[in-house]
Amino acid sequence: MKKAIVILTVLLAFVSCKQSNSGTGADNMVLYECPMHCEGDRLYEEEGSCPVCKMDLERVKPDKTEKLSQAVIPEMSIFNLSSTWTDQNGKAIKFKDLQGDVLVMVMIYTSCKAACPRLVADMRNIEARLSEEAKNHIKMIFVSIDPETDTPARLKSFAKENFMDDAPWMFLRSTEENTREFAAVVAVSYKEISPIDFSHSNIISVFSHNGEMLFQQEGLGVNSDNTVNHINKAVGTLKKEL
Amino acid sequence: MDSTAFRIFVLCFLLMNGFGYGQSEGMAFIEGSRYIPLYGRDSTVVEVKDFEIDVYPVTNAAFIDFVREHPQWQKTKVKKLFAEGNYLYNWKGDFELREDVDLRSPVTYVSWFAAKAYCECQGKRLPTIDEWEYVAMADKKMRDARINESYNQQILSWYEAPKTYKNSIGQTEKNYWGVYDLHGLVWEWTLDFNSVLISGESRKDVDKDSNLFCGSAAIGATDLMNYAAFMRYAFRGSVKARYAIRNLGFRCAKDINNIE
């Protein structure tokens, strides 16, 4: 009977933690939830994947959810994606963790000999035209369309070769499925045409600090005035809000 | 005690047997092979591994069950990032269809994100383009019926038939694999629909795509006579993942070995 009460109390604590974000009683525990809520509001004590849909479990952070619920994530924000990514230093991140900076993103693969070097150059040119002030509020991100080849180590050496290992530069990779999903969001098409070659669309996307897409530059070596303007404007909006 | 152990053993055996070899309910086993799709890797042969695919497209009824369990995909709750305003347009509310819509009709007006989530929550996934086209090139008797003129004619005549999305599932002819409705009912989402790299520019005779797509020289079509397939690829190349379209539904697929 005593046991039952204890279990019940613990359960109630979990429930209240999840629903009211007050987090009383479960403060010191790290809990995980399925981003799809396949088993309703069930919480898991260990990291891993959802037994139903196999998606990575997400950490439930009471204080973080509280902060984020104040700064509401817009419906069209890429921060609604629950996928987990790895950067060139092997650190796991979600797009939500990038909230607060203006994001400039492009999809490439490091073994690409055709368009990617030019896309990298385009990104570098855009960055060079931003003010030092703006550079403090942006992230320039390369997302790999070839996660199998582009391991964090590979991304790291690519970053070093291109002198892009420091902020604002960032290189990300995830599973094939998450990559497909992200490509779908930014309307990038890509196709593996041989084990080391991909066809892909050349698109650089600008996102606000809330993760909303503001602008897309399509094509290679095009005039990036518009892109730079959009970034500057987004940084301006961000600074007003800070 | 012994009998309990024996029972458990039998149970385990049955379970393993069921998971290891048995066909999943409502799915057809597809024996993989190599074939030449309209737009292949290196423009030639692709390999499709053994897999299972749903015999029918997902119905409105099944999708109602899904949104009951997963409220974030309900008509009024879905995030705009994952579905445009037309999402489940032919439903009256979160769980009800409009009067002229049938529970046994394929669910349409669903975005790629919703279709993908549905399959994942069933322990399945969307089929790839190569898999879908592989199953769909069969007719009643042959695995690859594309050489038959009548096969292409039949599909093209469906493309002209109006409002087939209102029909119930399972009314078209069963194909070689025991799969229904790949042609003649609705178009279907594929996992990698966004691997089709043809743009409006493709219609011009100049190769302007080279600026928009890296490596576009390698994606020429293999058989331009296969006009029906060309329409499907063009359609896939023209949609975005948030789109919810009147005659676009989906079905799920599954790897063979992922449950052992």
Side-chain angles (χ1 to χ4, degrees), chain B residues 150-170:
Chain B
S150 61
Y151 163 85
N152 276 313
Q153 265 315 315
Q154 227 171 8
I155 297 173
L156 285 174
S157 69
W158 162 51
Y159 290 169
E160 286 164 11
K163 299 190 176 177
T164 50
Y165 58 88
K166 290 197 165 183
N167 297 345
S168 297
I169 57 161

Side-chain angles (χ1 to χ4, degrees), chain B residues 60 90 100-102 104-109 158 161-169 184-187 245-249:
Chain B
N60 281 315
N90 56 349
D100 59 337
V101 183
D102 193 347
R104 299 228 353 119
S105 293
V107 63
T108 58
Y109 290 112
W158 162 51
K163 299 190 176 177
T164 50
Y165 58 88
K166 290 197 165 183
N167 297 345
S168 297
I169 57 161
L185 190 64
V186 287
W187 302 61
I245 299 172
R246 185 170 62 185
N247 58 349
L248 179 58

Side-chain angles (χ1 to χ4, degrees), chain B residues 18-31:
Chain B
F19 283 121
Y21 307 103
Q23 211 155 293
S24 309
E25 202 191 328
M27 298 186 93
F29 172 79
I30 311 294
E31 190 190 343

